[in-house]
């Protein structure tokens, strides 16, 4: 069976991880890597036994990959991804899709025009814990969702040199809230701050109002400990999830409902008892590998691949 030829453009932290995953998947051949830093690309090419290029267009000409992961700085997303899409190459683009909405829409149009598969890598959509919670929400196990709180905080990552905190970090949870609720916010309130970085926001809080629910998303590069957590309050219970450990704690509500009438006024009174506590363990998987496997499946089996969700998340992050 002929192997699927894959390549990676941009061999920073995420690019090296994409290369590693491709090299681990049966039926996939990592044919080449491209990066403007000769030392970086040479080291990675030797490590993964593939060709190395400092000019990604020369790589595309010579290797003709079927699938390319684009992991360059955000400011270059549009240029590099569009070059690949215009050649009919299937593109997995690291989030955020671009720095602005016009460029993002242009990439979707390019993919549609050539028929190339195009996926923006919002990696948390492939986190097993998120998928489990999505299943619980869809089945109504939490009742009506009232509120979602997401915290994604930690120290400053020196490799991020162009995007601000909202577009680089908060966008993860903005997308996950949209994904869980299957709708978009009708109102967006934002508080942005610059604490240690002069030209970019390094702290942000979003309050998102949906039709019958709300969400609070906090992200910063200030907190000295790394926290990646999500909590959901529903009419029938409360849930906490850790993105990193992929552990879920679910507190199922136990209550009795009584109707109380005083004069002309009637209302229901709830008597709560201790909740049923369930610690849910999912099969631990690497979200990036799950994401790449999904994209390979879309390409090989010609499945629909729509990245409109990435534009909606960017729209909110830019509010």
């Amino acid at each position: 069976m002929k192997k699927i030829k894959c390549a990676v453009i941009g061999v920073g932290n995420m690019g090296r991880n994409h290369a590693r995953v491709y090299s681990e998947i049966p039926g996939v051949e990592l044919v080449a890597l491209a990066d403007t830093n000769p030392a970086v690309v040479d080291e990675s090419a030797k490590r993964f036994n593939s060709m190395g290029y400092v000019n990604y267009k020369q790589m595309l000409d010579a290797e003709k990959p079927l699938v390319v992961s684009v992991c360059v700085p955000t400011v270059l997303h549009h240029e590099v991804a569009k070059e690949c899409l215009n050649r009919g190459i299937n593109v997995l683009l690291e989030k955020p899709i671009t720095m602005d909405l016009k460029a993002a829409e242009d990439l979707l149009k390019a993919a549609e025009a050539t028929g190339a598969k195009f996926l923006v890598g919002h990696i948390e959509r492939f986190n097993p814990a998120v998928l489990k919670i999505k299943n619980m929400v869809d089945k109504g196990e939490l009742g009506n969702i009232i509120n979602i709180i997401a915290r994604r905080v930690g120290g400053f990552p020196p490799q991020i040199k162009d995007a601000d905190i909202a577009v680089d970090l908060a966008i993860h949870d903005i997308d996950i809230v949209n994904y869980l609720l299957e709708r978009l916010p009708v109102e967006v309130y934002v508080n942005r701050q610059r604490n240690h970085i002069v030209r970019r926001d390094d702290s942000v809080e979003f309050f998102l109002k949906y039709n019958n629910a709300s969400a609070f998303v906090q992200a910063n590069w200030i907190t000295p400990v790394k926290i990646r957590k999500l909590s959901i309050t529903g009419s029938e219970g409360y849930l906490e999830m850790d993105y990193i450990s992929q552990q879920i704690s679910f507190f199922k509500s136990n209550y009795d409902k009584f109707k109380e009438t005083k004069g002309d006024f009637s209302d229901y009174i709830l008597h709560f008892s201790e909740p049923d506590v369930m610690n849910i363990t999912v099969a631990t998987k690497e979200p990036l590998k799950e994401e790449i496997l999904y994209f390979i499946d879309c390409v090989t089996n010609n499945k629909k691949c729509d990245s409109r969700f990435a534009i909606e998340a960017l729209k909110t992050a830019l509010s």
Side-chain angles (χ1 to χ4, degrees):
M1 183 177 176
K2 191 175 181 181
K3 289 189 174 183
I4 300 167
K5 295 173 67 174
C6 300
V8 177
I9 302 174
V11 197
N13 289 342
M14 283 306 299
R16 284 192 293 272
N17 281 321
H18 278 249
R20 171 184 56 78
V21 171
Y22 283 127
S23 69
E24 294 170 351
I25 300 175
V28 167
E29 181 184 5
L30 179 64
V31 294
L33 305 166
D35 196 282
T36 54
N37 186 320
V40 168
V41 77
D42 286 347
E43 187 276 330
S44 296
K46 290 176 183 176
R47 176 181 174 186
F48 296 109
N49 192 30
S50 61
M51 298 297 294
Y53 295 81
V54 292
N55 185 311
Y56 78 92
K57 292 181 182 179
Q58 290 179 359
M59 181 195 76
L60 298 177
D61 290 336
E63 304 296 340
K64 295 180 171 52
L66 180 65
V67 172
V68 167
S69 279
V70 175
C71 307
V72 297
T74 307
V75 70
L76 298 174
H77 278 193
H78 178 260
E79 173 194 330
V80 178
K82 188 170 183 181
E83 177 69 29
C84 296
L85 291 170
N86 283 346
R87 293 170 180 245
I89 299 171
N90 304 290
V91 173
L92 173 56
L93 174 66
E94 268 299 315
K95 66 85 205 154
I97 181 170
T98 54
M99 297 288 280
D100 65 82
L101 294 171
K102 182 179 179 181
E105 290 285 358
D106 190 51
L107 289 183
L108 261 63
K109 290 177 182 176
E112 184 178 358
T114 61
K117 303 295 182 187
F118 177 50
L119 178 66
V120 181
H122 278 254
I123 195 171
E124 297 293 14
R125 283 181 170 241
F126 298 88
N127 188 315
V130 172
L131 293 174
K132 175 61 178 177
I133 291 174
K134 173 64 172 167
N135 180 260
M136 294 174 68
V137 169
D138 289 350
K139 288 167 63 177
E141 294 183 28
L142 283 84
N144 297 321
I145 304 303
I146 298 167
N147 176 265
I148 299 177
I149 298 175
R151 297 189 69 208
R152 189 173 294 264
V153 300
F156 176 71
Q159 72 273 13
I160 305 299
K161 301 184 186 302
D162 49 4
D164 69 8
I165 189 69
V167 171
D168 179 70
L169 212 58
I171 198 169
H172 278 294
D173 298 295
I174 291 168
D175 177 58
I176 289 303
V177 175
N178 292 344
Y179 172 61
L180 293 175
L181 296 178
E182 292 187 350
R183 60 182 74 106
L184 302 175
V186 294
E187 295 179 51
V188 178
Y189 302 91
V190 192
N191 177 48
R192 302 170 180 268
Q193 295 184 50
R194 296 181 182 183
N195 299 280
H196 299 312
I197 305 175
V198 175
R199 297 185 179 180
R200 287 181 288 157
D201 301 329
D202 56 8
S203 177
V204 67
E205 295 85 37
F206 285 87
F207 180 77
L208 311 176
K209 181 71 175 66
Y210 296 80
N211 288 336
N212 296 309
S214 64
F216 177 76
V217 175
Q218 178 194 35
N220 70 45
W221 290 321
I222 307 299
T223 306
V225 292
K226 186 175 181 178
I227 299 171
R228 303 284 188 270
K229 292 189 176 182
L230 184 84
S231 64
I232 304 176
T233 299
S235 59
E236 302 302 322
Y238 170 75
L239 179 150
E240 291 182 344
M241 183 267 287
D242 190 307
Y243 282 106
I244 300 172
S245 68
Q246 299 180 6
Q247 294 294 310
I248 302 169
S249 296
F250 179 41
F251 302 81
K252 178 67 175 175
S253 296
N254 283 321
Y255 60 85
D256 296 313
K257 193 173 185 180
F258 301 95
K259 188 172 184 179
E260 185 177 84
T261 302
K262 292 183 178 179
D264 296 330
F265 178 77
S266 294
D267 201 358
Y268 285 96
I269 305 299
L270 302 182
H271 292 171
F272 280 87
S273 56
E274 287 297 313
D276 296 328
V277 181
M278 289 170 273
N279 293 312
I280 302 170
T281 302
V282 298
T284 303
K285 296 179 181 179
E286 182 184 2
L288 178 61
K289 189 167 188 176
E290 295 302 300
E291 177 184 83
I292 290 176
L293 286 170
Y294 168 81
F295 189 58
I296 294 293
D297 183 50
C298 288
V299 171
T300 56
N301 294 300
N302 195 28
K303 294 182 179 179
K304 184 178 180 181
C305 191
D306 187 2
S307 286
R308 171 62 55 182
F309 69 88
I311 293 182
E312 298 297 346
L314 179 64
K315 191 180 298 183
T316 299
L318 291 174
S319 296

